[in-house]
Amino acid sequence: MGRSITSLVVTVMSANPAAPVSQSSAIRIAISDGYLRYHDSQAATLTGLNIEVPAGAWTCILGRSGCGKSSLLRYLANLLHDKVDWSGELTTEPHCDLQHHIAYMAQQDLLMPWLSVLDNVMLSTKLSRAPRSTAIRDSQLAQARELLHQVGLADKADYLPQQLSGGMRQRVALARTLMQDKPVVLMDEPFSALDAVSRYRLQNLAFELLQAKTVVLITHDPQEAIRLASRLYIMQGRPASAESLLLPLSQVPRAIDAECAGLQQTIMTRLALDYE
Amino acid sequence: MLAVWQAIVVFFEMPAFILPSPVDVFDRLIERHSILLKHSWVTAQEIMLGLLFGVSLGLLFALQMLLFKPVKRWLLPLLIASQAIPVFAIAPVLMLWLGYGIASKIVMAALIIFFPITTCCYDGLRSTPVGYLDLAKTMGASKRQMLRHIQLPAALPALASGVRVAVVIAPIGAVAGEWVGSSAGLGYLMLQANARMMIDEMFAALFILSVLSITLYFVADWLLKKMIPWEM
């Protein structure tokens, strides 16, 4: 399995000659003493935030809904630049403008209902500002078909999104994210709307296909975070700050063993305090 | 229903100049079909061109309102004024300016549908799901690409409901225009028939007009469903 993944990453990258060099190297992100407040709010949403996102691994951020974890992700995706006050240091290594190097995956699949599955996967190529020759377009088309094959939906390329189940739609969204081929992938609870088994399968698939990338996953599900995280943060308080948690040493994606279950119980107890 | 109509006419011995029987109307329909057809064609043309004109104008206005915020501030009063003044009141002026031909009726039809089209289209353009816009933004889309690839297609179902309203009321504009002053069209024919107490002919024209409107609605509905298959 490991070999085929490496070869996929290589083909995906070579198919995008226009991309700058930094696209191919993983990016490390660090936030120190982050502070975030919405313009239309009196109180800060985040304060004293210290987060370290290692390159080429999954960082999971846990927290109850409404704690500000989505705000953090949306800030990283540059979706909040005109809506919030931000102070604190955001460093990337190698140094780059983060907004050009991220792909964003939300809780809703956000498939355009008027585009076929294949066209949805290719959406980023339509919206990029780079001019496209026929040769590039052909290679992009082949790449999109290959990605649909990877997520197991090769035969659904010409369907409309509404004809697919929730799990399939989120798999198309995953293929679309892979098509963007960005070194950083920001995920905002993309698996939370799925049933348990679809979620489990999609977590494994996403983990397998996003191996070389720096992934930040926001979630409210401790089990999901424990399974996938190489680094785990829990966000609590009002305004919220983040605290790093120790993880079992086993290899990701983890099987849920006794150690994981114990950690899950600890996290649950801590999160439960927030609801009182 | 036709039977009830026929029964009423026979039972109450209605004079033909008050309520003609359906049989009379049908006879008239056959007898005068060439004339009726000629006038229907004129009215149909007015409706279709009015629709075309009104829909494009509404789309254009909605886009202007979306793209240039200050434009909205002075377009909106204009828009509301165009609806507050009844078309019947403007009709004589339109006749004066554009003559008795089909031009004035096209403008009437366009004027009457322009408001629903503009508001539906503007609402559709404004209410693109935030998630779609966010996704496009993270993909680095420019304003133009956002409009072309996200906002416009997302507004199509809203525009479609505007068009459905428009195809129903466009004939009203056209026929009202014909009543005020014209030399051809179903409205003209009805007016002439009424003046000459040929009520059966009037009903025949009315019948054709409703068939025309209903057909138009179902054709438009079918076309819209074909073009926007993702709309439930």
Side-chain angles (χ1 to χ4, degrees), chain B residues 163-183:
Chain B
V163 170
R164 285 200 183 89
V165 174
V167 292
V168 175
I169 61 174
I172 301 175
V175 172
E178 287 171 357
W179 272 20
V180 173
S182 62
S183 49

Side-chain angles (χ1 to χ4, degrees), chain A residues 137-150:
Chain A
R137 207 168 306 160
D138 284 349
S139 83
Q140 283 171 339
L141 198 67
Q143 190 188 343
R145 286 194 186 280
E146 170 60 22
L147 286 169
L148 272 178
H149 179 72
Q150 301 273 332

Side-chain angles (χ1 to χ4, degrees), chain A residues 74 113-114 127-129 162 176, chain B residues 132 134 140 145 149 153 230:
Chain A
R74 292 170 61 81
W114 55 89
L127 294 179
S128 84
R129 295 178 202 207
Q162 66 187 23
R176 180 189 61 201
Chain B
Y132 293 0
D134 283 350
Q145 286 172 322
H149 292 292
W230 66 89

Side-chain angles (χ1 to χ4, degrees), chain A residues 34-52:
Chain A
Y35 166 90
L36 184 147
R37 183 181 64 82
Y38 282 90
H39 287 324
D40 54 7
S41 154
Q42 294 290 317
T45 306
L46 305 171
T47 188
L49 188 75
N50 293 297
I51 282 180
E52 180 93 21

Side-chain angles (χ1 to χ4, degrees), chain A residues 164-225:
Chain A
L164 304 183
S165 70
M168 288 179 180
R169 292 170 63 114
Q170 205 54 278
R171 274 190 276 161
V172 177
L174 178 63
R176 180 189 61 201
T177 308
L178 289 164
M179 185 77 195
Q180 288 181 258
D181 190 28
K182 301 289 185 182
V184 179
V185 176
L186 304 175
M187 295 185 150
D188 193 352
E189 307 188 15
F191 313 122
S192 63
L194 305 175
D195 65 87
V197 178
S198 307
R199 186 187 313 173
Y200 178 81
R201 293 181 57 199
L202 196 60
Q203 284 168 353
N204 289 346
L205 185 68
F207 193 84
E208 190 185 307
L209 296 176
L210 290 172
Q211 275 210 332
K213 319 264 186 204
T214 304
V215 179
V216 182
L217 173 70
I218 297 284
T219 179
H220 57 241
D221 177 5
Q223 187 180 328
E224 177 170 287

Side-chain angles (χ1 to χ4, degrees), chain A residues 32 37 43 47 126 134 150 155 157 163 181 193 204 241 257 261 263 265 268 270 273 276:
Chain A
S32 71
R37 183 181 64 82
T47 188
K126 233 183 243 173
T134 338
Q150 301 273 332
D155 54 333
Q163 294 168 291
D181 190 28
N204 289 346
S241 55
D257 54 10
L263 180 57
Q265 181 59 52
M268 276 295 190
R270 276 191 63 168
L273 292 176
E276 276 161 17

Side-chain angles (χ1 to χ4, degrees), chain B residues 101-148:
Chain B
I102 72 169
S104 51
K105 284 80 190 175
I106 293 171
V107 172
M108 287 275 288
L111 212 59
I112 207 169
I113 65 168
F114 160 72
F115 186 71
I117 292 284
T118 308
T119 46
C120 282
C121 193
Y122 179 61
D123 277 350
L125 283 170
R126 231 177 16 164
S127 55
T128 317
V130 183
Y132 293 0
L133 297 177
D134 283 350
L135 182 71
K137 249 183 249 168
T138 64
M139 289 178 171
S142 66
K143 276 218 145 136
R144 232 188 88 224
Q145 286 172 322
M146 200 96 97
L147 186 68
R148 156 92 178 72

